Amino acid sequence: MSFLISVAWSALGLAVMFAVLSVVVLSMVWLERKALGRLQLRYGPTRTGKFGLLQPVADAIKLIVKEDIIPNDSEKAIFWVAPVIVVVSAFVIWVTIPGGDSVVIKHLPLGLFYIIAFAVIGILGLVLAGWGSANKYGIMGGLRSAAQLISYEIPVVLVAAAVAILAQSLDMREIVAAQSAYPYLVVLPLGLVIFFIAGLAEVGRTPFDIYHAESEVVGGPFVEYSGAHWSVFFLAEYINTFAIAALTALLFLGGWGGPALPDVVWFLFKTYAVVLVVFWVRGTFPRLRIDQLMAFAWKVMVPLSFYTVIIAAVYRFYDLPWWSLTILSLAGLAAAGWIIYRRMTAPARRVIQIQERLAAQRGAAPSPRT
Amino acid sequence: MSTQPDTLPDIQADRADAQPVEMLLNMGPQHPSTHGVFRMVLWVDGEKVVDVEPHIGYLHRGSEKLCEGEQYHQIVTLFDRMDYIGNFNNELAYCMAVEKLMGLEVPERAEYIRVILCELNRVASHLLYVGTMGLDAGAMTPVMFSFRGRERVQALFEAVSGARMMHNYFRIGGLKEDVPDNFRELMDELMPILREDVEQSDRILTFNEIFLSRLKDVSPITANEAIAFGLTGPMLRACGYEYDVRKAQPYSVYDRFDFEVPVGLDGDCWDRHWVRVQEMYQSLRIVEQAMEQLPDGPVASPLGRRLIRPPAGEAYVRAENPRGEIGVYLVSDGTDKPYRLKVRPPSFCNLSALRRLLVDTWLADSVVVLGSLDIVLGEVDR
Amino acid sequence: MLESLKGMMLTLASTVTGLRRPVTQQYPKQATPVKPRFMGFPALTWDGEISEPYCTGCMVCIRNCPTQCMSASMMDNPKHADGDSSRRKIVDYFEINLNRCILCGICVEYCNFDAIVMSHEHEMSTYARNGDRVDLPALLEIGKKYQEATDWIPPTVLAKQKADAAKSAAGEPAEASGG
């Protein structure tokens, strides 16, 4: 009997989760369009409802009503099942992401492990979508997504491990409780940066939107999808973005901890703040190339995340004061930033130097023409 | 495809030595980043471009042939529509060709106004380039920033010529009419804002680390090769070769202004971008000087509305367009229509280096390289 | 990293400038004003004094049109026979295919009778391929709208006024020195 009740509760929880996440996606679509508009000197949506608030609803209706085209040459079964895999994996991780101390569908003692394990499955859906749609751009995008997402899974996992070392637990509730004194943002800024960047790559947002790059592979795995099928991918993308933002908030920003307000409000506030930063990054940066993306993952992100794990372990083992971890972390960040700065801007600065030298020469001996 | 008729060339046969790992990727004419209706057939090995075959002609309108059927004053409208981003520069090149053939003297004020409009047009064209380059590299915002500036320039064009793009404002021997009375106020209002817009679209993109890593050392070309390919304009100057028709063979009143010719170093995509950005500042400098020197006087053509019949003969005129050197070769047989009019379009000549630039780059680079060529298909296909 | 952060600050600042000084115009709701010289679709002008078109159907615009988008024919002016009008001939039929027109303004430049203007009309979309073939009444209608909106004075009259004004401004000292 108690088992049945538990099942019923879980089912109810899943239904509620689905409803809440749908609302979250709608709010994120609106927020993204509005935020991007503002960043780009535009208004964003204004026509549908006050401040264009009904725009995502209109978008959703349009997508569902649209004809769902399935290419003749596609592998029908794979083509059909790929979006389902993507969206299910996106939804399933939310089972154990807590929105507050008791706001969770199923509390798992190994919650962080579960989340990371299930987040990977979505890649399979993307590769299948690219392959099944019998389109060269789709194949290109699918393979790109496989390479990209698997590479960036490693930093995410390692940084999550570092946090687990600090908190001595894989339980989300205990990780948040361990941050009651100070959020891990303070002690592990390096971890936050790595987690955020790798998270962007995980969900394929600019500057890592390589597998569905509009100007190169025209949507990648999604190129042949339309209507409701495409909207499912869209849904999964936004849920994943929200999940990464929520995890950033939970692991580094102190989760739902905060004064005065109820815990869910704090959680949503922090998560939406991270989401806004994601949109802000999207509104500023160009996209990396696939080889640069992989090089960045294996040459910068993975070593740095190993470094994060090591300093967290050393800190735990020798029981150092908390600020020593901050210093170690910032040192790693500064070293990485300096190397990137030197490597990337050096050739450009050389051009400027030579240009200035030429101008100086010309100033010394004015050219006969002027 | 089995449905293909036999008469079409079998593209598979062109590369009989193709490796089994190679994939034929048809990019364009309906691809978001092929700048209009350009089509590239790419052979890719994974993400590497092995070979490329460009297909042009989707926008062919037979402009040169149409010119033979139009009277001289009507051809200006056709030149507006060749390089539809640098309209004024194109009109200028054509008008100069006819003026050279007829030995016409253009009123000084008209020359100055022509230079002002052409340089503003260059700024507008390069702003468009910066925006689309950002889009090609995956940044969404620069295009909004740069279109804001371009929009302001176009508003000025509308106030002067009555049209935002297809102006038909230059006439053989002068201008259609004088600039509006409040031209100086309009310019005083425009220039500081435009400079700010140019600076912003420069700041958001040029030295961004990701943008740099995308463009720097991508498809470099040496100056010798560039000359051999006939590249001109920013494409050539990016290789470090200082060649600008405005300096090398000053036309109109360009010899009266003090400006630099920015040159790059390595001839790669970033240098091309950087040269264009610097050119915008130089163009603004020229406009400011021209506004200071702007004399009073007539602007209308001494010919008035008379039918133009240049003497039999031929003339070749070159001018510096935003995209490179435009050449107009005009043959007249003494009638009211040209016997032959040949245009050397800069985009077309620059595009000829595409294969050299694209082979052995990444697929993602092919988009960036094409963007850095800054082609206008209206001019390539004519 | 520094330049990236600068770029992020720029986009952030643009949200503020965008709010303070928006550059977007909400087009269909908020009509975009056109400049006085704006060249919209060509239209025929209406001589209010005699209430007939300025156009005499002389076809000079048609000969000079680069796209051959117009056609016209002339007839004897009945009002001239009555002595009301100085125009001996008047336009009988005029048609412009506005889908073919490239808005170059050459017709206006070559018209000898101030009869054709580039109006400020630019919102004339139709669904049919040749849906914008406009005939004489429609052209005059657009022309009247333009004349009313801009207090149109025939360019030749305007040029004469200007020349007179210049003469009267510079005329007296010139006459004094001449006399």
Side-chain angles (χ1 to χ4, degrees):
Chain A
M1 192 62 202
S2 66
F3 173 73
L4 279 181
I5 289 171
S6 139
V7 167
W9 270 115
S10 296
L12 185 67
L14 283 174
V16 170
M17 179 190 78
F18 189 83
V20 169
L21 281 181
S22 301
V23 173
V24 161
V25 168
L26 292 183
S27 76
M28 277 175 70
V29 171
W30 178 82
L31 196 64
E32 168 152 44
R33 296 184 61 160
K34 213 67 185 168
L36 271 183
R38 288 303 184 198
L39 291 169
Q40 300 175 342
L41 309 156
R42 296 186 285 117
Y43 284 116
T46 54
R47 293 308 161 86
T48 37
K50 193 87 183 148
F51 306 118
L53 271 168
L54 293 176
Q55 186 66 41
V57 180
D59 285 351
I61 292 171
K62 181 208 79 172
L63 281 172
I64 290 163
V65 172
K66 256 174 96 167
E67 185 190 357
D68 196 353
I69 301 163
I70 298 178
N72 271 342
D73 290 349
S74 65
E75 291 284 338
K76 303 281 184 307
I78 291 177
F79 189 82
W80 200 87
V81 94
V84 177
I85 295 177
V86 174
V87 82
V88 163
S89 80
F91 268 111
V92 151
I93 58 170
W94 276 94
V95 166
T96 193
I97 294 181
D101 198 32
S102 53
V103 189
V104 63
I105 292 162
K106 186 75 188 164
H107 176 74
L108 298 175
L110 289 177
L112 194 56
F113 181 75
Y114 169 87
I115 291 164
I116 284 164
F118 269 91
V120 195
I121 294 178
I123 303 169
L124 181 66
L126 290 176
V127 179
L128 287 181
W131 188 77
S133 57
N135 183 303
K136 288 168 181 174
Y137 289 112
I139 292 172
M140 218 84 166
L143 295 179
R144 278 180 175 195
S145 71
Q148 169 180 349
L149 302 190
I150 288 170
S151 306
Y152 277 88
E153 198 62 38
I154 296 164
V156 170
V157 172
L158 285 176
V159 171
V163 170
I165 291 169
L166 287 185
Q168 302 274 294
S169 169
L170 284 167
D171 186 336
M172 297 306 285
R173 211 181 277 174
E174 281 181 28
I175 289 174
V176 172
Q179 299 180 56
S180 56
Y182 45 83
Y184 286 156
L185 158 74
V186 181
V187 288
L188 215 54
L190 177 62
L192 171 66
V193 170
I194 296 174
F195 191 83
F196 182 70
I197 293 176
L200 283 182
E202 268 301 272
V203 295
R205 300 202 76 93
T206 316
F208 305 104
D209 55 342
I210 289 170
Y211 66 81
H212 56 88
E214 188 75 15
S215 64
E216 292 156 24
V217 290
V218 215
F222 317 141
V223 64
E224 292 287 359
Y225 283 88
S226 57
H229 271 99
W230 187 81
S231 69
V232 166
F233 277 122
F234 194 68
L235 196 69
E237 195 185 316
Y238 277 90
I239 293 171
N240 279 333
T241 309
F242 197 67
I244 285 293
L247 283 178
T248 312
L250 287 171
L251 297 185
F252 292 98
L253 305 180
W256 52 80
L261 295 169
D263 49 5
V264 180
V265 176
W266 270 111
F267 169 77
L268 284 179
F269 172 74
K270 286 173 183 174
T271 310
Y272 272 102
V274 179
V275 164
L276 276 177
V277 175
V278 172
F279 296 157
W280 183 18
V281 167
R282 179 169 179 213
T284 309
F285 287 108
R287 175 189 310 126
L288 281 163
R289 202 168 59 206
I290 183 80
D291 62 318
Q292 291 163 346
L293 173 97
M294 301 303 280
F296 189 64
W298 294 102
K299 290 180 186 165
V300 181
M301 298 299 274
V302 170
L304 274 182
S305 52
F306 272 117
Y307 176 74
T308 316
V309 172
I310 289 166
I311 58 173
V314 166
Y315 160 79
R316 225 351 120 193
F317 188 77
Y318 292 106
D319 228 357
L320 300 171
W322 64 269
W323 46 264
S324 63
L325 188 54
T326 312
I327 291 168
L328 283 170
S329 182
L330 284 177
L333 202 59
W338 190 72
I339 292 168
I340 291 169
Y341 174 71
R342 280 305 297 266
R343 288 237 3 197
M344 283 188 181
T345 57
R349 276 181 283 123
R350 198 162 49 100
V351 174
I352 308 301
Q353 279 167 8
I354 290 187
Q355 179 72 20
E356 276 167 4
R357 214 166 61 215
L358 279 175
Q361 277 173 6
R362 212 176 290 134
S367 84
R369 291 196 211 97
T370 48
Chain B
M1 295 285 154
S2 57
T3 52
Q4 209 174 46
D6 295 327
T7 47
L8 280 181
D10 185 5
I11 213 156
Q12 213 83 23
D14 288 351
R15 280 187 62 83
D17 59 334
Q19 299 297 308
V21 290
E22 289 178 13
M23 181 165 82
L24 187 145
L25 194 63
N26 195 0
M27 209 184 224
Q30 254 65 318
H31 190 276
S33 54
T34 48
H35 291 230
V37 281
F38 179 62
R39 175 176 168 219
M40 290 188 284
V41 177
L42 293 166
W43 284 91
V44 289
D45 175 4
E47 289 273 343
K48 279 274 186 187
V49 176
V50 180
D51 203 353
V52 58
E53 190 183 343
H55 289 252
I56 59 169
Y58 289 91
L59 202 57
H60 179 64
R61 296 154 297 180
S63 292
E64 286 177 6
K65 188 69 192 169
L66 280 175
C67 288
E68 293 170 21
E70 302 277 13
Q71 290 173 350
Y72 280 96
H73 67 273
Q74 296 172 336
I75 294 175
V76 181
T77 60
L78 284 167
F79 268 76
D80 270 334
R81 284 158 179 78
M82 271 186 211
D83 178 355
Y84 45 76
I85 312 294
N87 317 71
F88 275 131
N89 300 68
N90 266 24
E91 288 182 17
L92 178 64
Y94 166 70
C95 290
M96 283 196 316
V98 185
E99 283 153 15
K100 186 176 178 185
L101 196 57
M102 299 177 74
L104 266 181
E105 195 71 27
V106 182
E108 200 173 43
R109 183 176 168 83
E111 291 275 30
Y112 272 92
I113 293 169
R114 281 180 177 187
V115 166
I116 291 168
L117 294 176
C118 282
E119 291 307 314
L120 282 177
N121 211 156
R122 190 185 311 275
V123 174
S125 166
H126 284 341
L127 276 175
L128 180 109
Y129 156 78
V130 171
T132 52
M133 191 73 218
L135 279 183
D136 287 346
M140 303 167 71
T141 309
V143 70
M144 300 290 169
F145 277 72
S146 56
F147 262 67
R148 180 180 47 165
R150 185 175 139 83
E151 192 64 35
R152 286 179 178 139
V153 177
Q154 284 182 329
L156 180 94
F157 288 168
E158 189 189 321
V160 171
S161 71
R164 288 155 49 83
M165 281 175 83
M166 309 303 171
H167 314 290
N168 189 25
Y169 183 63
F170 293 178
R171 290 287 179 274
I172 293 149
L175 298 175
K176 177 179 161 193
E177 55 190 327
D178 203 346
V179 288
D181 296 334
N182 61 345
F183 182 62
R184 202 168 276 277
E185 288 94 78
L186 286 176
M187 287 297 285
D188 287 344
E189 196 185 326
L190 171 74
M191 287 306 283
I193 308 178
L194 185 59
R195 185 173 285 274
E196 197 181 305
D197 288 344
V198 169
E199 269 167 12
Q200 284 199 353
S201 47
D202 177 11
R203 204 159 5 125
I204 194 171
L205 211 52
T206 310
F207 284 96
N208 184 299
E209 276 84 359
I210 296 175
F211 188 71
L212 259 173
S213 60
R214 274 304 295 279
L215 265 72
K216 196 68 197 161
D217 297 328
V218 170
S219 300
I221 188 165
T222 62
N224 280 335
E225 265 181 302
I227 292 167
F229 273 115
L231 304 189
T232 46
M235 291 288 293
L236 178 59
R237 289 194 284 276
C239 311
Y241 190 84
E242 194 180 331
Y243 172 75
D244 188 319
V245 184
R246 291 175 295 173
K247 285 270 189 199
Q249 198 189 52
Y251 54 94
S252 199
V253 286
Y254 274 110
D255 48 352
R256 302 186 197 174
F257 306 117
D258 174 31
F259 65 99
E260 304 262 317
V261 179
V263 290
L265 186 66
D266 307 322
D268 54 24
C269 287
W270 189 81
D271 282 15
R272 284 168 218 151
H273 175 85
W274 188 78
V275 164
R276 287 193 177 102
V277 170
Q278 297 302 312
E279 266 181 26
M280 286 199 272
Y281 293 116
Q282 298 301 331
S283 290
L284 290 177
R285 260 178 80 185
I286 295 176
V287 173
E288 274 162 9
Q289 291 172 44
M291 280 309 289
E292 272 171 29
Q293 300 174 17
L294 183 64
D296 283 331
V299 294
S301 161
L303 296 171
R305 297 189 314 188
R306 246 174 293 154
L307 194 59
I308 297 162
R309 288 181 205 271
E314 52 187 59
Y316 183 79
V317 157
R318 50 195 193 142
E320 186 72 21
N321 259 24
R323 262 148 275 280
E325 178 188 322
I326 186 173
V328 179
Y329 177 58
L330 175 67
V331 184
S332 163
D333 53 2
T335 59
D336 59 343
K337 290 170 184 171
Y339 177 74
R340 174 83 170 96
L341 206 152
K342 168 86 180 88
V343 182
R344 179 214 186 271
S347 303
F348 180 72
C349 295
N350 289 351
L351 191 61
S352 66
L354 185 72
R355 188 158 183 267
R356 155 72 184 76
L357 293 175
L358 273 195
V359 169
D360 271 348
T361 57
W362 296 82
L363 176 67
D365 286 341
S366 67
V367 170
V368 168
V369 170
L370 193 66
S372 80
L373 289 170
D374 192 18
I375 50 168
V376 168
L377 263 295
E379 191 182 40
V380 173
D381 294 342
R382 275 165 293 152
Chain C
M1 288 293 103
L2 216 61
E3 291 291 334
S4 301
L5 293 178
K6 271 193 219 165
M8 289 189 76
M9 285 300 129
L10 181 63
T11 45
L12 186 64
S14 83
T15 62
V16 181
T17 49
L19 283 173
R20 215 176 48 210
R21 231 180 10 176
V23 283
T24 314
Q25 276 172 349
Q26 303 277 43
Y27 168 57
K29 258 189 198 168
Q30 184 189 341
T32 327
V34 293
K35 302 283 187 297
R37 280 190 184 181
F38 177 76
M39 295 198 290
F41 288 113
L44 295 182
T45 50
W46 181 255
D47 191 344
E49 287 172 24
I50 320 173
S51 77
E52 66 179 14
Y54 276 97
C55 182
T56 59
C58 73
M59 315 242 321
V60 73
C61 49
I62 292 158
R63 280 200 303 279
N64 278 292
C65 179
T67 55
Q68 288 106 41
C69 69
M70 318 179 187
S71 57
S73 65
M74 65 163 62
M75 62 174 181
D76 289 329
N77 191 357
K79 285 193 178 158
H80 180 73
D82 301 345
D84 292 341
S85 168
S86 59
R87 291 184 187 84
R88 216 174 292 167
K89 301 280 182 185
I90 197 82
V91 61
D92 172 30
Y93 155 87
F94 204 105
E95 189 189 89
I96 304 184
N97 185 349
L98 295 182
N99 289 141
R100 240 186 121 80
C101 176
I102 57 171
L103 310 181
C104 64
I106 285 180
C107 46
V108 178
E109 210 179 330
Y110 277 80
C111 180
N112 295 314
F113 301 99
D114 308 328
I116 191 164
V117 287
M118 300 307 273
S119 71
H120 286 175
E121 192 64 58
H122 57 280
E123 295 159 322
M124 293 186 69
S125 318
T126 52
Y127 286 102
R129 169 137 193 161
N130 271 334
D132 268 336
R133 297 172 78 101
V134 281
D135 54 359
L136 184 61
L139 283 168
L140 287 169
E141 200 56 47
I142 304 171
K144 272 183 201 162
K145 210 169 119 194
Y146 172 76
Q147 280 168 288
E148 271 165 32
T150 57
D151 292 329
W152 183 78
I153 306 168
T156 47
V157 176
L158 199 66
K160 216 174 156 197
Q161 280 175 3
K162 253 189 185 170
D164 286 346
K167 210 188 269 172
S168 63
E172 276 151 21
E175 268 174 25
S177 69

